[in-house]
Amino acid sequence: MRAREKQLTIRTSMILWGALIAFLPSVVTACTTAVISGRATVDGRPILWKNRDTSSRRNEVAFIEGGELRAIAVVNAGSRSSAWMGVNEAGFCIENSVSRDLKIEEKTSGPGNGGFMKLALQTCRTVEEFRQLLEKTNTSGRSTVSNYGVIDAHGGAALFETGPKSFKMFDANDPDIAPDGFLVRSNFATTAQGVSPQPTLEELSEKTIVSADRFSQACTLLSSPDEAGISIEYMIRNVCRDLSDTPGVPVCGSVNDPSGKLPEIINADSMISRTTTVSAAVFHGVKAGEDPLMTTMWAFLGDPKFSIAVPCWTSMSDIASPLVGESEAPIGAIANTMRGWSFVDGGNGVDSTVLTGIWSDVWKVEDQILSATAKARSKWESKGVNPRDMNAVHMESARRSYHAMLTELRQLKNAALTIKTPAPPKFEPVTKTILVP
């Protein structure tokens, strides 16, 4: 830590002052997501992913109750009116990205993007039941402009481009729709833009499309793993935290190009792991015939660059205290504080001084949590699900995550406190009296 403290003292003043003017990002609602069929993963189980970009930076994990099905989801702190990514006890998982090009001129009513996801978590068991819910609400009403990604406990994996009164389904299990077994979405709908279900960069370059750069980079990342396929570990480490510029070249020193050193300032406003990213989730599904309660939500509270993933299950009796909070969950608060200290360039850039230290310390803990969770899931696959064990794994993972994050925050604060206050200026003594009329 001493070497890092020495490094930090050089530039911490600039970071702290930058935080004062740039801690609150501009109001945005933009996300990057993917639905991944089991035919593209290392273990044959579907995966769902979302990096959430919004001005509502204070998030928590909460149970969604009061419906037909119990669910657990990432929500805005203190609010249960909407769910922004979650899983229910039937193993049905859902997330979304805003797609304003699906908006219609006609005035609409009914649940919006987050409210509709809450409704789906409370009532849907399968991808097909979600499709039926969309059919029903085409008539009854909804106010959605969203690309919904869903997976279920029967191998279902699909994406729905959903306007207020219509939708289009894309099946990730269909090789004609998703040749590589995955479907990516950012903040445009292929139906609205008149492009193919999984458009190439060449197709997108012919149009002016918001978020095309993030879409393209996510596609590149999901095409990059070795022949074994896409893993949960890869999604959590390499996709959620990707720092690549507009042409898709990873920033030197970042997770997808560990060679060399990070640049002092990273212009991250258009990257997957953006300056507006406030949370993320990766859902690890189950194979048909397996217990749906084994479906795992890996939740990041706070920007994934500054945070850590914690496993969650619907069968848990409680959610660990570091993940909950009426005003803000503790892990998210720490991540937001460290992120705020690193904001520069009006909130569009990240000062990288603290990042390498955070990664070297926190990722070691995350690796241990990933390993322990994989071992537990393997046990549950062969011997059956044990909700008490799930609760214990979750609680221990959250405890270790919070301790790692809190230790990091203290180290950064101590480094800031080592900066010496500048000496007061010296003035020449007055040698003669000046009469002021």
Side-chain angles (χ1 to χ4, degrees):
M1 178 59 196
R2 288 185 179 276
R4 181 143 56 100
E5 286 179 349
K6 185 175 180 180
Q7 178 193 24
L8 282 166
T9 56
I10 300 173
R11 304 182 65 227
T12 304
S13 293
M14 183 188 74
I15 298 173
L16 294 176
W17 279 109
L20 293 176
I21 62 173
F23 187 74
L24 288 173
S26 58
V27 177
V28 298
T29 305
C31 308
T32 315
T33 71
V35 182
I36 306 168
S37 164
R39 64 190 177 92
T41 65
V42 294
D43 61 3
R45 297 176 176 87
I47 292 174
L48 191 65
W49 158 62
K50 172 179 175 176
N51 266 30
R52 185 185 184 205
D53 294 275
T54 180
S55 57
S56 301
R57 72 179 188 278
R58 296 184 176 92
N59 292 190
E60 65 171 325
V61 175
F63 287 123
I64 303 296
E65 298 176 304
E68 298 174 24
L69 298 163
R70 189 181 199 234
I72 190 168
V74 175
V75 301
N76 291 339
S79 172
R80 302 294 183 272
S81 60
S82 298
W84 297 108
M85 38 200 163
V87 55
N88 67 24
E89 60 186 314
F92 173 83
C93 308
I94 188 168
E95 49 75 14
N96 83 307
S97 64
V98 170
S99 189
R100 301 193 189 284
D101 51 6
L102 292 167
K103 187 177 180 180
I104 61 176
E105 294 296 326
E106 183 181 345
K107 187 176 180 180
T108 59
S109 60
N113 293 343
F116 195 75
M117 284 194 283
K118 177 183 176 180
L119 176 63
L121 287 170
Q122 291 177 312
T123 59
C124 295
R125 291 171 172 80
T126 64
V127 172
E128 172 57 22
E129 288 189 5
F130 182 69
R131 189 195 66 77
Q132 292 173 10
L133 177 63
L134 288 171
E135 288 276 11
K136 178 181 177 181
T137 53
N138 274 350
T139 303
S140 63
R142 59 176 185 263
S143 301
T144 53
V145 281
S146 191
N147 299 316
Y148 289 114
V150 295
I151 62 173
D152 63 29
H154 305 276
L159 190 141
F160 294 81
E161 296 184 353
T162 309
K165 293 192 173 185
S166 65
F167 68 90
K168 174 70 175 178
M169 176 181 173
F170 302 89
D171 188 351
N173 288 314
D174 185 344
D176 291 332
I177 299 297
D180 297 313
F182 62 80
L183 292 166
V184 170
R185 287 297 183 271
S186 49
N187 305 112
F188 66 91
T190 60
T191 50
Q193 298 296 332
V195 294
S196 59
Q198 190 67 15
T200 63
L201 184 59
E202 288 72 23
E203 277 187 88
L204 297 179
S205 65
E206 296 175 0
K207 298 174 177 287
T208 302
I209 297 178
V210 174
S211 73
D213 46 3
R214 285 184 281 116
F215 173 91
S216 178
Q217 179 58 12
C219 291
T220 298
L221 288 170
L222 295 181
S223 301
S224 298
D226 57 33
E227 294 181 1
I230 300 167
S231 69
I232 283 294
E233 293 81 3
Y234 179 78
M235 295 300 298
I236 289 172
R237 185 63 52 82
N238 296 75
V239 178
C240 289
R241 295 176 169 116
D242 180 65
L243 295 171
S244 298
D245 58 23
T246 301
V249 178
V251 170
C252 184
S254 65
V255 65
N256 288 317
D257 181 12
S259 64
K261 293 178 60 177
L262 285 171
E264 290 186 351
I265 303 298
I266 302 171
N267 188 347
D269 62 333
S270 62
M271 295 178 175
I272 287 176
S273 184
R274 306 171 70 196
T275 52
T276 53
T277 303
V278 301
S279 57
V282 179
F283 298 88
H284 192 184
V286 297
K287 292 179 179 179
E290 292 181 333
D291 194 325
L293 292 177
M294 199 168 63
T295 305
T296 309
M297 178 176 77
W298 288 91
F300 289 92
L301 295 181
D303 185 337
K305 292 189 292 297
F306 298 93
S307 191
I308 188 169
V310 180
C312 307
W313 294 275
T314 58
S315 64
M316 300 182 323
S317 58
D318 298 290
I319 299 172
S321 57
L323 301 181
V324 299
E326 284 295 308
S327 58
E328 187 170 20
I331 284 181
I334 294 172
N336 281 332
T337 297
M338 292 192 292
R339 181 181 80 151
W341 285 0
S342 301
F343 270 3
V344 294
D345 190 23
N348 292 323
V350 175
D351 186 297
S352 69
T353 306
V354 304
L355 283 177
T356 52
I358 293 172
W359 295 343
S360 64
D361 295 339
V362 172
W363 290 1
K364 292 176 184 176
V365 176
E366 188 176 78
D367 285 338
Q368 294 165 1
I369 292 171
L370 282 161
S371 178
T373 303
K375 184 177 180 180
R377 277 189 54 129
S378 180
K379 175 184 174 183
W380 300 332
E381 289 166 18
S382 60
K383 297 185 177 181
V385 166
N386 186 325
R388 184 176 296 180
D389 282 355
M390 288 179 161
N391 210 68
V393 172
H394 167 74
M395 291 292 175
E396 177 62 11
S397 298
R399 184 195 67 80
R400 297 183 69 180
S401 297
Y402 179 65
H403 177 74
M405 295 284 288
L406 188 60
T407 299
E408 205 64 28
L409 180 65
R410 286 171 175 164
Q411 290 174 343
L412 295 177
K413 285 184 175 179
N414 289 337
L417 291 173
T418 62
I419 300 175
K420 294 182 179 180
T421 303
K426 292 183 179 181
F427 297 100
E428 292 296 326
V430 177
T431 57
K432 62 181 179 179
T433 300
I434 301 175
L435 298 178
V436 180

